[in-house]
Amino acid sequence: MKTIVNVPTKQSLIRETRDYLMIALGLILYGIGWTVFLLPNDITTGGVPGIASIVYFATGFPVQYTYFSINLILLLLSIRILGWKFSIKTVFAVFTLTFFLSIIQRLASGVVLLHDQPFMACVIGASLCGGGIGIAFSSNGSTGGTDIIAAIINKYRDITLGRVMLICDLIIISSSYFVLKDWEKVVYGYVTLYICSFVLDQVVNSARQSVQFFIISEKYDEIARHINVYPHRGATVINASGFYSGKEQKMLFVLAKKRESTIIFRLIKDIDPNAFVSQSAVIGVYGEGFDRIKVK
């Protein structure tokens, strides 16, 4: 078998550039939601930003420094488990968000929006945070923190990213009571977490949904080998024949998560732009890499 070497092309460079720009956009949205709407209203979010918020409420220590310090440890896990492709963008995201947090806080200094309407501040801030994380994830990036933990668990278990983050963040938000001494603020934190998780799942189109591909191409072997390497999905070769032409040909059958559809379409286009591809959603997929059969 030939060794697959991914040679950078103009098209791939454009895609990578677009991914980094989208990650930066997502982080700007996240930074605005966190520091403009949530932080001034003493509303705690989840994950590392939540820990940074609690430290800020207790000591006044700038959130960007706490956020950056904790993420250094989590990035080591990301590099080891998720690989460099995911982790490089995560490193970029952590540095970028740290940078933007300083700028946003400086620009919004003294500005407290919706101070007498904490619920609206909670809804708007959480929506911006969830949408920002979703955009970052859709571009194979992350804002760090529990996003890394969620991505690691999601790699091995068929659990949505938002649900993993919801479970991980409950303890962090609950602990904010020991600093704020106000259960109402804690409740707003729970609402923020739910909205953020819901918006995240909507943006990434529900990580549990699976799709199937039928691919007809003269370069089926090369396409199958690339799919097997990344996104690391299996491919079944089916013998087929055209009814009109009578020509014998090979057809690939591939099952993948919906979030991996863009990756598969990209590599098909790079290898054979003239390939015939059919994609459809499936109700359930059971087996290695997907759900377990739960019938007793």
Side-chain angles (χ1 to χ4, degrees):
M1 180 180 293
K2 295 181 180 179
T3 301
I4 299 174
V5 180
N6 293 320
V7 180
T9 63
K10 181 179 179 180
Q11 190 175 31
S12 64
L13 289 176
I14 292 175
R15 287 171 181 167
E16 287 297 307
T17 301
R18 184 171 58 213
D19 282 348
Y20 282 106
L21 290 175
M22 292 304 293
I23 291 173
L25 173 61
L27 297 176
I28 292 174
L29 293 175
Y30 187 90
I32 293 173
W34 180 19
T35 60
V36 176
F37 291 94
L38 300 180
L39 208 60
N41 289 283
D42 294 338
I43 299 175
T44 308
T45 184
V48 174
I51 299 175
S53 297
I54 294 173
V55 173
Y56 172 77
F57 296 147
T59 66
F61 190 71
V63 291
Q64 61 266 30
Y65 301 131
T66 306
Y67 167 82
F68 181 77
S69 300
I70 297 175
N71 270 295
L72 285 179
I73 300 174
L74 293 174
L75 283 172
L76 296 177
L77 289 174
S78 174
I79 292 172
R80 180 176 178 82
I81 299 176
L82 300 177
W84 281 103
K85 188 175 181 67
F86 179 90
S87 302
I88 288 177
K89 290 182 177 179
T90 305
V91 171
F92 167 79
V94 169
F95 276 93
T96 302
L97 182 54
T98 303
F99 172 74
F100 278 124
L101 284 174
S102 300
I103 295 179
I104 294 171
Q105 288 183 93
R106 192 178 301 115
L107 293 176
S109 179
V111 178
V112 182
L113 299 178
L114 304 173
H115 182 65
D116 57 341
Q117 302 180 58
F119 181 74
M120 286 303 300
C122 167
V123 172
I124 296 174
S127 297
L128 289 171
C129 289
I133 298 174
I135 291 174
F137 264 118
S138 298
S139 299
N140 298 313
S142 166
T143 58
T146 50
D147 298 355
I148 296 176
I149 299 174
I152 292 173
I153 296 177
N154 182 256
K155 180 178 180 180
Y156 299 105
R157 293 288 183 270
D158 191 25
I159 306 175
T160 65
L161 300 172
R163 186 169 299 175
V164 174
M165 293 176 64
L166 183 65
I167 295 173
C168 291
D169 297 343
L170 284 175
I171 297 178
I172 296 174
I173 293 178
S174 299
S175 64
S176 67
Y177 173 77
F178 298 104
V179 175
L180 298 174
K181 303 298 181 181
D182 186 347
W183 279 112
E184 183 178 347
K185 298 294 185 182
V186 176
V187 172
Y188 282 135
Y190 292 146
V191 175
T192 297
L193 182 58
Y194 176 80
I195 295 174
C196 185
S197 300
F198 176 79
V199 174
L200 168 61
D201 279 343
Q202 296 305 306
V203 174
V204 297
N205 295 319
S206 181
R208 288 182 64 89
Q209 189 170 357
S210 300
V211 294
Q212 66 180 20
F213 290 89
F214 286 104
I215 307 166
I216 299 176
S217 170
E218 296 292 337
K219 300 180 180 180
Y220 71 93
D221 182 71
E222 186 177 355
I223 292 174
R225 285 189 288 115
H226 276 76
I227 291 177
N228 187 248
V229 172
Y230 185 72
H232 195 60
R233 291 296 176 186
T236 302
V237 180
I238 301 174
N239 293 318
S241 60
F243 176 77
Y244 179 76
S245 64
K247 180 181 178 181
E248 296 293 328
Q249 52 194 355
K250 302 292 186 180
M251 180 171 65
L252 294 178
F253 172 65
V254 178
L255 287 169
K257 297 294 179 64
K258 186 172 182 178
R259 66 178 185 276
E260 297 168 337
S261 298
T262 301
I263 299 172
I264 295 175
F265 274 118
R266 284 178 176 179
L267 69 85
I268 293 174
K269 184 177 180 180
D270 288 343
I271 297 172
D272 184 7
N274 298 317
F276 183 85
V277 183
S278 169
Q279 177 194 4
S280 58
V282 293
I283 296 175
V285 180
Y286 304 94
E288 186 176 353
F290 296 90
D291 271 340
R292 288 191 233 174
I293 298 177
K294 302 178 179 65
V295 177
K296 295 182 179 180

